[in-house]
């Protein structure tokens, strides 16, 4: 088999076979196929696309390019969730302890943030001592002892994806639906879950700007999972304004803790309850938690009661974190400067630009513009207003937390145009734009 034949075949719009895809993935991972040939094939895929069988074969080849985690000794049915990234999205910090509180073990590997999307690991490292870098033995031990572990992904999992993504990033081939879907799902499949809930964001504060684009990506990922033998659900959620109030690492940890104590903002409460209900339904495998409405009600009651906070504390302690910062949120990192942005006029909030808030948080130091940037866990923004709120002139719209005057001014400049006002009432934004359930999809035609 020759790489030039694969490049020409895909250039001409023909589908690649399973063996051809594996030849490419194995050869590129080991270094036998050079970057320039891999780049040519990726560009051909960008222009010509991939069919359903090609996409699932690409995903499985990338997943199997490294270690495949087996969680059967931890739980008979491992369930996981993935978010495509958003502004103020601290869902994993809430939904996972919530699911664990129902007796469903959670063993999840998460990532760091790059750009304006915050990473779960960065948020957890706001807690002093929290160790996200676990060996596989430590990962398994914590899962078995506490019922929940949330750590970083092993470098030995899906190494082909890391190499291919680095190449896509510098060759203009990032925005390819089959390449995006296979990149995300290869890591999910390698992480050992049998049931996967996807939270795919749509809006100005996400990668997919419209519900139609988010639906296309979600459908592709659900089809991959179904064809790989996994139970799949994708929720299409809105990201035109921040989720919850807090944007920034320690601020989001504090909001997650408050939500787990039954005191969080309504939107993050409802969002996490929905995610957790779908995770439980998959974990029940059609028996326990079969009725989604009933499960959603149980989850809502558990979240309001504050019972799930125990599992968050267990997780923090098991990872070496200072649980006193969970018990007393004032112990979390605190910024030196605070600045309140006030409403310029009375009326209704017509827009709270998620992307403006995200870039402002990045300017403060809450995120990374480059992979080696150091994060300031204390800084961020509290967004006190949501689209549809009635306001009076002088009402507090945002609170900016900063540690540097220059960074504060840069953030304020970005935030100056983040909020739009209307004299007339404005409808509230939906939390979700729909659900794609894998059980409603027909299986693929084979690989």
């Amino acid at each position: 088999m020759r790489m030039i034949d694969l490049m020409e075949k895909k250039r001409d719009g023909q589908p690649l076979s399973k063996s051809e895809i594996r030849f490419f993935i194995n050869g590129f991972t080991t270094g036998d196929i050079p970057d320039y040939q891999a780049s040519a094939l990726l560009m051909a895929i960008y222009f010509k696309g991939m069919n359903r069988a090609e996409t699932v074969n690409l995903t499985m080849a990338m997943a199997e390019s490294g270690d495949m985690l087996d969680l059967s000794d931890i739980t008979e049915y491992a369930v996981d969730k993935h978010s495509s990234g958003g502004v103020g999205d601290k869902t994993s910090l809430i939904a996972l302890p919530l699911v664990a509180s129902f007796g469903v073990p959670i063993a999840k590997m998460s990532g760091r943030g790059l750009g304006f999307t915050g990473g779960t690991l960065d948020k957890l490292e706001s807690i002093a001592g929290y160790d996200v870098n676990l060996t596989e033995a430590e990962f398994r031990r914590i899962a078995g002892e506490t019922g929940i572990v949330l750590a970083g992904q092993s470098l030995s999992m899906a190494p082909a994806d890391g190499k291919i993504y680095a190449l896509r990033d510098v060759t203009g081939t990032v925005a390819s639906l089959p390449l995006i879907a296979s990149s995300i799902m290869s890591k999910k499949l390698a992480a050992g879950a049998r049931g996967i809930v996807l939270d795919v964001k749509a809006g100005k504060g996400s990668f997919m700007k419209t519900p139609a684009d988010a639906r296309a990506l979600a459908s592709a990922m659900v089809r991959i999972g179904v064809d790989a033998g996994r139970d799949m659900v994708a929720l299409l959620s809105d990201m035109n304004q921040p989720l919850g109030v807090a944007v920034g690492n320690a601020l989001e940890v504090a909001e997650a803790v408050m939500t787990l104590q039954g005191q969080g903002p309504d939107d993050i409460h409802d969002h996490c309850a929905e995610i957790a209900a779908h995770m439980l339904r998959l974990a029940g495998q059609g028996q326990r938690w079969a009725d989604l409405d009933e499960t959603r009600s149980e989850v809502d009651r558990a979240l309001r009661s504050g019972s799930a906070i125990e599992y968050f504390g267990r997780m923090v302690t098991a990872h070496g974190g200072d649980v006193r910062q969970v018990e007393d949120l004032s112990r979390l990192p605190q910024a030196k400067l605070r600045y309140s942005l006030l409403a310029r006029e009375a009326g209704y909030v017509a827009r709270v630009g998620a992307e403006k808030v995200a870039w402002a948080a990045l300017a403060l130091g809450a995120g990374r513009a480059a992979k080696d940037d150091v994060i300031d866990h204390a800084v961020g923004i509290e967004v006190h207003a949501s689209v549809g709120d009635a306001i009076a002139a002088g009402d507090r719209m945002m609170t900016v937390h900063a540690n540097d005057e220059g960074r504060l001014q840069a953030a304020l400049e970005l935030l100056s145009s983040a909020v739009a006002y209307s004299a007339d009432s404005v409808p509230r934004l939906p939390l979700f734009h729909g659900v794609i359930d894998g059980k409603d999809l027909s299986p693929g035609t084979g690989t």
Side-chain angles (χ1 to χ4, degrees):
M1 199 173 292
R2 299 188 311 159
M3 188 63 184
I4 185 66
D5 296 326
L6 275 65
M7 293 154 54
E8 292 177 348
K9 189 175 181 181
K10 180 49 66 178
R11 179 201 64 193
D12 296 338
Q14 299 177 43
L16 301 177
S17 69
K18 181 177 182 178
S19 60
E20 287 170 330
I21 289 172
R22 290 203 172 254
F23 168 78
F24 162 59
I25 292 299
N26 292 339
F28 185 53
T29 303
T30 58
D32 293 334
I33 292 173
D35 282 0
Y36 61 85
Q37 287 189 317
S39 298
L41 181 59
L42 293 173
M43 188 61 75
I45 292 170
Y46 178 89
F47 282 113
K48 298 298 184 178
M50 290 185 125
N51 64 28
R52 181 168 177 171
E54 284 180 289
T55 306
V56 72
N57 285 331
L58 176 64
T59 307
M60 290 306 302
M62 290 198 297
E64 293 170 359
S65 66
D67 294 337
M68 296 284 286
L69 192 61
D70 182 358
L71 299 174
S72 59
D73 59 330
I74 296 172
T75 176
E76 291 182 4
Y77 187 98
V79 64
D80 198 358
K81 63 146 306 252
H82 171 79
S83 170
S84 61
V87 185
D89 183 8
K90 69 284 294 179
T91 307
S92 290
L93 304 184
I94 302 163
L96 300 183
L98 183 55
V99 170
S101 73
F102 281 81
V104 175
I106 294 294
K108 178 172 174 56
M109 293 182 177
S110 286
R112 298 191 181 277
L114 184 61
F116 64 60
T117 57
T120 297
L121 301 184
D122 301 314
K123 294 166 190 175
L124 286 169
E125 286 181 336
S126 300
I127 302 170
Y130 193 105
D131 186 3
V132 302
N133 301 309
L134 304 180
T135 66
E136 184 174 334
E138 291 169 330
F139 183 85
R140 292 180 179 280
R141 176 184 59 78
I142 292 174
E145 291 177 356
T146 68
I148 180 170
V149 59
L150 185 47
Q153 180 178 306
S154 166
L155 291 176
S156 60
M157 291 177 63
D161 173 63
K163 289 197 67 175
I164 288 173
Y165 190 87
L167 202 56
R168 287 167 58 207
D169 194 36
V170 295
T171 56
T173 54
V174 169
S176 162
L177 194 64
L179 295 179
I180 295 169
S182 60
S183 174
I184 294 170
M185 288 301 297
S186 64
K187 295 187 285 288
K188 290 291 103 182
L189 297 179
R194 291 180 57 191
I196 302 170
V197 175
L198 302 170
D199 180 9
V200 183
K201 309 292 189 187
K204 292 184 177 180
S206 63
F207 185 67
M208 312 308 287
K209 301 304 181 187
T210 68
D213 290 342
R215 181 173 289 276
L217 174 60
S219 297
M221 291 192 291
V222 169
R223 285 194 297 268
I224 290 170
V226 167
D227 291 352
R230 305 311 198 266
D231 298 324
M232 300 291 303
V233 173
L235 289 83
L236 310 177
S237 59
D238 188 82
M239 189 37 68
N240 284 300
Q241 66 181 354
L243 183 60
V245 171
V247 180
N249 298 283
L251 294 173
E252 292 188 46
V253 169
E255 184 169 281
V257 170
M258 292 173 63
T259 304
L260 286 166
Q261 294 171 331
Q263 303 168 24
D266 288 344
D267 64 338
I268 192 69
H269 172 106
D270 294 345
H271 184 96
C272 292
E274 189 72 13
I275 297 290
H278 281 279
M279 291 180 71
L280 287 171
R281 185 177 70 78
L282 291 187
Q285 300 177 70
Q287 299 174 35
R288 189 180 180 191
W289 304 303
D291 186 299
L292 185 60
D293 289 336
E294 184 178 320
T295 303
R296 192 184 290 112
S297 296
E298 287 188 42
V299 167
D300 180 73
R301 284 194 294 271
L303 199 50
R304 293 189 188 283
S305 74
S307 59
I309 189 63
E310 175 190 347
Y311 282 81
F312 188 86
R314 284 187 192 181
M315 178 181 74
V316 169
T317 300
H319 279 261
D322 186 352
V323 77
R324 294 176 300 173
Q325 292 181 310
V326 176
E327 297 163 349
D328 179 1
L329 298 177
S330 68
R331 290 177 174 265
L332 286 168
Q334 305 287 321
K336 295 181 292 186
L337 306 173
R338 294 191 183 186
Y339 187 95
S340 294
L341 285 170
L342 307 180
R344 298 192 303 267
E345 56 191 85
Y348 297 87
V349 178
R351 185 188 75 242
V352 181
E355 75 286 8
K356 296 282 188 181
V357 174
W359 290 118
L362 182 63
L364 290 168
R368 294 184 183 85
K371 287 184 179 180
D372 57 354
D373 285 353
V374 177
I375 279 183
D376 185 340
H377 291 97
V379 302
I381 302 159
E382 292 178 282
V383 182
H384 306 294
S386 299
V387 171
D389 285 355
I391 55 169
D395 282 354
R396 188 173 55 155
M397 306 296 286
M398 300 184 195
T399 302
V400 183
H401 298 247
N403 275 325
D404 178 87
E405 186 65 36
R407 286 181 174 270
L408 172 61
Q409 293 305 316
L412 293 177
E413 184 174 345
L414 288 162
L415 294 172
S416 64
S417 58
V419 179
Y421 304 88
S422 171
D424 301 318
S425 62
V426 176
R428 295 193 178 277
L429 295 176
L431 276 178
F432 297 99
H433 294 285
V435 178
I436 300 169
D437 198 322
K439 66 181 177 58
D440 298 329
L441 298 180
S442 60
T445 57
T447 59

